[in-house]
Each structure stands twice: as structure tokens, then as C-alpha cells.
Amino acid sequence: MGESTSDAAGPVVTSVLEGDTARLTVTGELTAAARRPLVRVVTDLLLQHEHALGRVVLDLRDVSFMNSGGMAVLVQLQRMAAPRGVEVALLDPPEGVLRPLQLSGLWRRFPLVDSSADGVAPGPEDGAS
């Protein structure tokens, strides 16, 4: 199952469901404009696959920019998914996404998935420089 969503000012969001994992590929800027397409796709997934969905992986490799509005969208997606026992993980976030999450402390809320190992990468160690 593949689906693509795009608003004029927002990023392109493509979703693929594989087993109990939904992979959402985000292309473009992760700003407040991403709220509508991302929330729409995640809401549809949560409603259609209520008991079968265990994880949403956001593929952020093609995100060129993220601001505080984009961080708020990520937190909103996590708050939507958590009560249903669905984990929201970030796949290979580029430096422009990872750094703002680290500076804000939000990186601790999201498991990081490393595509080269096809697993969950450990987060930065506390106190590491």
C-alpha cells in the first residue's frame, strides 16, 4: 500500500505499510506547513490499522530544513501515536533535523533508525560532547 500527500506549501509525504510498520517518507521542508499532510496520513493509518500498527518510521533523509514548527509537528505525531502503543521513530535524520532536536532536548523522545544497520541506532550518550 503506497500513498502520497502534498499541500502547495508543505512537503511531499509518501507512506508505505509493511507488516506492523508504516514508513512515511518526507521530502522538502519540515515546518508548520507539514502539519496537515503528516497528521492526515498518521490519522488515517491509526484509524485504518488500529490494532495492527506498532511503529511509524519517519524517513527524513530528504528533509532540507526544519524549524520549531517542524519540531512541534513531530511532537504532535508522537502524542497521537503513544496512547495507541505506536512508536514514532526517525530514520536517518540529516544534521539540519538532528541538531535542532538535540539543542531542544527533543531527540531523547524519538528512537533513531539507522538504515545502514536496519535497526535502531543508539542516541547520543548523556554528557557526550
Side-chain angles (χ1 to χ4, degrees), residues 17-28:
L17 184 63
E18 297 171 351
D20 71 343
T21 300
R23 183 177 190 161
L24 278 60
T25 302
V26 182
T27 304

Side-chain angles (χ1 to χ4, degrees), residues 77-92:
L77 296 178
Q78 185 186 49
R79 287 184 175 165
M80 290 170 56
R84 293 165 176 85
V86 177
E87 176 183 69
V88 176
L90 309 180
L91 175 66
D92 294 337

Side-chain angles (χ1 to χ4, degrees), residues 97-121:
V97 171
L98 190 56
R99 190 68 180 143
L101 290 173
Q102 289 171 331
L103 291 172
S104 67
L106 288 174
W107 65 272
R108 297 176 191 200
R109 296 182 66 157
F110 299 95
L112 300 180
V113 179
D114 181 358
S115 64
S116 64
D118 200 33
V120 177

Side-chain angles (χ1 to χ4, degrees), residues 3-5 13-15 24 36-46:
E3 204 173 304
S4 181
T5 304
V13 179
T14 305
S15 67
L24 278 60
R36 180 170 285 164
L38 279 169
V39 167
R40 183 181 314 135
V41 170
V42 171
T43 298
D44 288 347
L45 286 167
L46 291 172

